[in-house]
């Protein structure tokens, strides 16, 4: 029997001989089949895994050639010339399947051993299983395999390996065998120098061997690496471990990284006790309970077997197994997957007392791209109470934080309309108490194979269920009175729930006899083409066209035009611009479409299509109206979004410089909104976030380059303040390409500068510097002193992050010089604040005072409340370094009075911390404790990483009555927002 290896270089072994692997692409084909051993890998999946987006035109032909060579190798094992083995590589409909026992593949054997270790009854068994699992690794997984898919898979497998190694270390320590760990853990920490659980395992091992000093050195090394490369401190667990070793306290052996037994499960409906005390006790506050389920479907009927299947799975989740319970609900479009999942989820909310998360992944949305896992995780972390500033930038880091927040909690996660398993994998919880329901048109085979998801394939409704659906919507008496027409309607609608719902809506609106409805439907169906006679939705176009034909002229036109809209939903005011009608009239037309079940209203005033309805509406638009009419409608919609976004951006950031590409007057028929205040503007951006991104992409693709650039500019302050930095990067990359097509130098410079600022947010200093150099060249070519000043402000911030304070000061001074030459008052003020900050950091606080005082006067005159608060805080920073503790406390107090009103909670907490430091240095310990306690309450409410240092300050104050005053950190002035406001050095 052959043995296949993926946990290292991809290899095949037979009778102790290594078989010829061939070229890297051939090994990539083999790996793409082995990860789903025993399952059909479709052509599209195979090509995507091997070539990704760069697939050649003859990719299938190339794949067939590689498969032939693999098949020949497997048929002729060494030492058995002429005696061909059975062919394990078989072509089946839609792709290929490698029919081998997964036990013959080291990856699947590794996962099985880890899974068995989770349920092991004793430490010795757990150790034996994990030893075997860890020993299967021979280096980097899929080594030598090219392509994005291999890279992503390699990264995910590396995390699985590290989890298993940390679990193995905990198991070995539990049986008092630390000597077996030193070598492997030392090697792995060398390969992964920033992985904290790995260093923690090594520290525990060294401590168990009596080498505590070496363990403390390991901590110091990790702390320095984290500070240098990421600018962060070790996490709370590692800090606690380090402190225990320093104090000589007992050191826990460590967890088995995901292999721990679940905590006792509460009964159904019982609330799980919070794992920490309340805020007033100095511990984090319990996370909010998300409740994101859409409204249940009125008139849901049938699907009793499917509901029972899901109930049984929920029972398994309640029994606290060792792996998360996943249901993979699949079926064709319109079959009722979402309706089933949402209806069932509402029935069982009491079984998931820690909340319900929901997202429409838009996997098959004809109007745009599927949601990325990073986008989804961002929304889930928002719902779980993570402050925007604390949400990591990378997908993997977001996924890790998401899994941590769900650990030990009973949450239902409903992932609707998934494209494929790869879109879903990062969204799976890591612990067993939660349950996941995924709906998709794809069968999600690899999710079933790799994660044990339970498949549930939905078929058409039975005739009886079709009758039940009509009875729920029309009333049992009406259905019973006309049994034969009911049968005809059910048959004409192909027993598809979507089509039946539309037919029922028609019957409700007209109150016609059901015989009339059946006859109309039969006549319409006979005159129309069908989508595909072999598919269950073959009659859907007939049903949709029949309902569409009954609409008033205005509603039919709006329905067609809505098919052109590319966002996930649309507001009533945007729809009014699209159809060039007043908002009240548009609302009435939308209500008509909702009554006809041709449009949904998931939230008051916002409307959305089912995928089939969107496709049909677009089809009607292209068939019934001219290209000029469609383009004019989209231009009105783009103008609506652009002008509203520009107004909202000016409300959010009133001191921002004017837009470099000025707006023109909206085209006739476009009716932009005008948010009145900061709260309204941010709420509008939040509701239109995804719509605006889709509009931006469409504008660039359809030749509206000016709109594309302007939308990126208008979205910028919202995306930055809410931490949507990946969306911000995508928006500005699109805008940059548009600016070059427009040959607009100011727009090019602004795009480069914004990308640089965003790269600093994403901790990509090299890329940031490259964009800054390009922006500086463009601003110099234009003679734009203000633009040059802004770039120097960003360069100052970049050098500050690199601890090059002298260079930071030099760039800040250059920014100030150029702002002064340009007579840019606001820029001069913020640049002076930055210069003062860098003088303080360089040990010259007396000089810093002069700059900060001048900045304060200017900012007060300009009415910039946040800039004024930053200047007050920088003044306090300088006074603290001069031992002017009373003056420092007064300055911090002035800053707090402004920050509290503005709602910058994190900066408010930081300033309170500095205020406490100043009170402590002055000997007023009660005032210090009060300031720190207020800061701690804010930080714990935000789940902010700075909470622990503040908690330590309070503990030291309580324990010793006095503690050494900590060195003050830079003031909140370094955390400025994105636009030209942050010229002196944004955070």
């Amino acid at each position: 029997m052959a043995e296949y290896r993926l946990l290292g270089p991809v290899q095949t072994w037979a009778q102790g001989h290594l078989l010829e692997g061939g070229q890297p692409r051939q090994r990539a084909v083999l790996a793409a089949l082995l990860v789903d051993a025993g399952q059909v890998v479709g052509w599209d999946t195979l090509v995507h895994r091997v070539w990704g987006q760069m697939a050649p035109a003859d990719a299938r032909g190339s794949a067939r050639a590689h498969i032939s060579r693999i098949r020949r190798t497997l048929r002729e094992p060494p030492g058995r010339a002429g005696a061909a083995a059975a062919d394990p590589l078989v072509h089946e409909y839609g792709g290929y399947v490698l029919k081998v026992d997964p036990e013959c593949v080291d990856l699947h054997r590794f996962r099985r051993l880890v899974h068995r270790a989770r349920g092991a009854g004793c430490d010795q068994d757990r150790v034996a299983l994990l030893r075997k699992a860890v020993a299967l690794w021979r280096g980097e997984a899929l080594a030598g395999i090219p392509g994005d898919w291999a890279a992503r898979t390699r990264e995910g497998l590396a995390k699985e390996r590290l989890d298993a190694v940390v679990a193995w270390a905990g198991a070995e320590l539990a049986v008092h065998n630390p000597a077996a760990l030193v070598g492997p853990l030392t090697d792995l920490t060398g390969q992964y120098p920033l992985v904290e659980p790995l260093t923690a395992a090594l520290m525990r091992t060294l401590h168990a061997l009596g080498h505590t000093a070496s363990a403390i050195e390991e901590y110091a090394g990790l702390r320095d690496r984290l500070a240098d490369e990421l600018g962060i401190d070790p996490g709370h667990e590692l800090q606690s471990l380090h402190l225990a070793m320093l104090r000589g306290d007992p050191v826990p052996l460590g967890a088995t990284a995901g292999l721990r037994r679940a905590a006792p499960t509460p009964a159904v409906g019982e609330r799980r006790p919070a794992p920490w005390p309340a805020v007033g006790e100095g511990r984090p506050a319990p996370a909010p309970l998300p409740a994101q389920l859409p409204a249940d479907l009125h008139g849901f009927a049938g699907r009793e077997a499917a509901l029972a299947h899901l109930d049984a799975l929920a029972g398994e989740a309640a029994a606290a197994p060792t792996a998360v319970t996943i249901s993979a609900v699949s079926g064709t479009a319109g079959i009722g997957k979402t309706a089933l999942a949402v209806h069932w989820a509402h029935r069982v909310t009491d079984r998931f007392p820690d909340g319900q998360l929901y997202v429409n992944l838009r996997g098959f949305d004809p109007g745009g791209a599927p949601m990325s896992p990073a986008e989804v995780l961002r929304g889930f972390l928002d719902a779980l109470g993570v402050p925007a500033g604390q949400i990591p930038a990378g997908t993997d880091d977001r996924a890790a934080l998401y899994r941590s927040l769900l650990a030990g909690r009973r949450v239902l996660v409903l992932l609707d309309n998934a494209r494929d398993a790869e879109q879903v994998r990062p969204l799976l919880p890591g612990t067993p108490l939660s349950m996941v329901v995924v709906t998709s048109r794809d069968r999600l085979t690899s999710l079933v194979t790799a994660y044990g998801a339970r498949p549930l394939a939905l078929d058409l409704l039975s005739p009886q269920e079709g009758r039940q659906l009509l009875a729920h919507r029309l009333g049992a008496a009406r259905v019973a009175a006309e049994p034969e027409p009911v049968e005809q309607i059910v048959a004409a609608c192909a027993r598809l729930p979507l089509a039946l719902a539309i037919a029922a809506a028609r019957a409700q609106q007209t109150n016609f006899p059901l015989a009339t409805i059946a006859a109309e439907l039969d006549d319409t169906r006979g005159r129309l083409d069908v989508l595909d006679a072999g598919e269950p939705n073959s009659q859907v176009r007939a049903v949709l066209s029949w309902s569409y034909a009954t609409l008033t002229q205005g509603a039919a036109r709006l329905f067609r035009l809505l098919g052109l809209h590319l966002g996930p939903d649309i507001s009533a005011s945007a729809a009014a611009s699209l159809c060039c009608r007043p908002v009240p009239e548009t609302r009435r037309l939308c209500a008509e479409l909702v009554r006809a079940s041709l449009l949904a209203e998931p939230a008051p005033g916002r409307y959305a299509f089912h995928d089939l309805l969107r496709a049909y509406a677009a089809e009607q638009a292209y068939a019934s109206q001219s290209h000029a009419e469609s383009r004019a409608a989209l231009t009105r919609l783009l103008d609506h979004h652009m002008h509203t976004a520009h107004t909202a951006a000016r409300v959010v950031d009133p001191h921002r410089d004017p837009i470099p590409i000025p707006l023109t007057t909206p085209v006739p028929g476009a009716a932009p909104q005008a948010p009145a205040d900061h709260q309204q503007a941010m709420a509008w951006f939040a509701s239109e976030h995804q719509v605006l991104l889709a509009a931006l992409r469409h504008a660039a693709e359809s030749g509206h380059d000016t709109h594309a650039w302007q939308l990126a500019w208008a979205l910028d302050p919202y995306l930055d303040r809410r931490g949507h930095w990946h969306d911000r990067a995508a928006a500005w990359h699109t805008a940059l390409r548009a600016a070059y097509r427009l040959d607009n130098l100011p727009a090019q410079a602004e795009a480069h500068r914004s990308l640089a600022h965003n790269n600093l947010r994403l901790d990509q200093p090299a890329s940031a510097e490259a964009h800054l150099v390009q922006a500086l060249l463009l601003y110099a070519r234009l003679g734009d002193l203000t633009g040059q000043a802004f770039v120097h402000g960003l360069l100052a911030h970049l050098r500050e992050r690199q601890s090059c304070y002298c260079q930071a000061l030099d760039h800040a001074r250059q920014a100030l010089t150029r702002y002064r030459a340009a007579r840019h008052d606001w820029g001069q003020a913020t640049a002076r604040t930055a210069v003062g900050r860098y003088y303080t950091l360089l040990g010259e606080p007396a000089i810093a005072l002069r700059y900060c005082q001048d900045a304060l006067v200017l900012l007060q005159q300009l009415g910039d409340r946040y800039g004024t608060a930053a200047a007050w805080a920088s003044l306090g920073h300088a006074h603290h370094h001069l031992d002017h503790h009373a003056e420092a406390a007064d300055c911090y107090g002035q800053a707090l009075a402004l920050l509290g009103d503005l709602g910058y909670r994190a900066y408010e907490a930081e300033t309170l911390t500095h205020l406490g430091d100043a009170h402590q240095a002055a000997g007023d310990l009660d005032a210090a404790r009060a300031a720190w306690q207020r800061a701690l309450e804010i930080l714990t409410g935000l789940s902010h990483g700075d909470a622990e240092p503040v908690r330590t300050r309070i503990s030291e104050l309580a324990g010793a009555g006095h503690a050494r005053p900590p060195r003050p950190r830079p003031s909140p002035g370094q955390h400025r927002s994105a636009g030209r406001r942050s010229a002196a050095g944004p955070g």
Side-chain angles (χ1 to χ4, degrees), residues 839-840 843-853 878-879 881-882 884:
Y839 269 122
T840 299
E844 298 285 353
I847 300 175
L849 281 179
R850 298 198 297 272
Y851 281 95
C852 293
Q853 286 165 346
H879 278 301
H881 277 266
L882 288 166
H884 302 162

Side-chain angles (χ1 to χ4, degrees), residues 864-871 899 902 904 907 972-973 975-977 981:
D864 182 356
R865 298 182 67 198
Y866 179 75
T868 302
L899 289 172
L902 292 172
Y904 288 91
Y907 307 154
H975 297 293
R976 305 304 303 274
S977 61
R981 293 181 52 76

Side-chain angles (χ1 to χ4, degrees), residues 29 33 39-47 60 63-64 67 71 88-99:
V29 170
L33 295 168
Q39 301 292 329
V40 175
V41 178
W43 271 118
D44 290 343
T45 299
L46 184 61
V47 170
R60 290 197 177 190
R64 287 191 183 95
I67 287 169
R71 180 181 282 127
L89 186 51
V90 179
H91 178 263
E92 292 190 0
Y93 177 75
Y96 282 87
V97 56
L98 193 54
K99 291 192 173 181

Side-chain angles (χ1 to χ4, degrees), residues 91-112:
H91 178 263
E92 292 190 0
Y93 177 75
Y96 282 87
V97 56
L98 193 54
K99 291 192 173 181
V100 299
D101 184 350
E103 275 295 298
C104 297
V105 184
D106 59 357
L107 168 60
H108 301 300
R109 192 158 65 251
F110 165 78
R111 285 174 169 165
R112 183 185 62 83

Side-chain angles (χ1 to χ4, degrees), residues 118 309-318 321-330 344 352 402 411-415 418 420-421 424-440 443-457:
R118 290 192 181 102
H309 172 88
L310 291 171
D311 284 340
L313 291 185
E316 292 184 14
T322 56
V324 64
T325 301
I326 306 169
S327 174
V329 182
S330 62
W344 176 80
F352 299 95
Y402 164 72
V411 175
L412 177 63
V413 182
L414 178 47
L415 306 175
D420 50 34
V424 168
R425 283 191 182 102
L427 312 178
L428 300 177
T431 51
L433 294 180
S434 294
M435 179 175 173
V436 180
V437 177
V438 188
T439 74
S440 178
R443 287 188 176 272
L444 304 173
T445 303
S446 59
L447 199 67
V448 174
T449 303
Y451 293 91
R454 308 295 183 84
L456 174 59

Side-chain angles (χ1 to χ4, degrees), residues 638-818:
L638 286 174
D639 268 13
H640 170 91
H641 290 319
M642 181 60 254
H643 282 269
T644 309
H646 180 266
T647 301
R650 300 299 301 176
V651 171
V652 168
D653 196 350
H655 293 280
R656 192 180 184 191
D657 283 351
I659 187 169
I661 303 182
L663 275 66
T664 57
T665 303
V667 296
Q673 296 172 264
D677 55 30
H678 184 278
Q679 184 177 0
Q680 284 188 18
M682 291 299 283
W684 182 84
F685 273 125
S687 63
E688 301 287 349
H689 172 190
Q690 295 298 332
V691 173
L692 293 171
L693 290 174
L696 191 158
R697 290 191 297 268
H698 174 74
E701 292 166 359
S702 60
H704 293 82
D705 285 326
T706 297
H707 281 89
W709 195 95
Q710 291 169 335
L711 280 167
W713 186 93
L715 265 167
D716 192 74
Y718 170 77
L719 294 177
D720 183 52
R721 293 187 185 196
R722 285 291 184 262
H724 297 294
W725 295 313
H726 289 285
D727 285 345
R728 189 181 180 216
W732 276 113
H733 277 297
T734 301
L736 181 62
R737 292 190 291 271
Y740 276 100
R741 288 194 295 269
L742 292 167
D743 196 25
N744 188 307
L745 297 186
Q748 294 168 23
E750 183 101 354
H752 279 297
R753 177 197 56 72
S754 297
L755 283 167
H757 182 269
N758 200 61
N759 285 331
L760 289 174
R761 293 288 200 209
L762 294 172
D763 197 23
Q764 299 169 355
S767 179
E769 188 158 8
H771 281 294
L772 287 173
V773 168
Q774 190 63 32
L776 196 58
L777 289 172
L778 288 167
Y779 283 129
R781 181 178 170 187
L782 290 165
D784 184 345
L785 292 174
T786 300
Q788 295 173 49
F790 188 85
V791 173
H792 279 291
L794 284 173
L795 285 167
H797 175 58
L798 175 63
R799 300 298 177 236
E800 179 188 349
R801 291 183 61 172
Q802 296 167 338
S803 299
C804 300
Y805 299 134
C806 289
Q807 293 181 38
L809 176 61
D810 179 64
H811 282 296
R813 291 175 67 89
Q814 290 189 61
L816 178 57
T817 299
R818 285 162 174 76

Side-chain angles (χ1 to χ4, degrees), residues 840-916:
T840 299
L841 292 172
L842 286 167
E844 298 285 353
I847 300 175
L849 281 179
R850 298 198 297 272
Y851 281 95
C852 293
Q853 286 165 346
D854 290 345
L856 180 64
V857 173
L858 284 170
L859 288 163
Q860 287 174 329
Q861 291 173 351
L862 292 168
D864 182 356
R865 298 182 67 198
Y866 179 75
T868 302
W872 276 118
S874 292
L875 273 172
H877 192 220
H879 278 301
H880 195 160
H881 277 266
L882 288 166
D883 293 330
H884 302 162
H885 304 307
E887 291 88 342
D890 180 65
C891 291
Y892 289 136
Q894 296 283 354
L896 285 168
L898 294 165
L899 289 172
D901 290 344
L902 292 172
Y904 288 91
R905 299 290 284 166
Y907 307 154
E908 182 182 356
E910 186 174 347
T911 305
L912 281 165
T913 304
H914 293 323
L915 175 62

Side-chain angles (χ1 to χ4, degrees), residues 912 915-917 919-920 923-933 957:
L912 281 165
L915 175 62
D917 296 343
H919 284 313
Q920 182 195 29
D924 190 345
L925 303 187
D926 289 338
R929 183 184 297 105
W932 288 337
Q933 189 62 48
L957 202 63

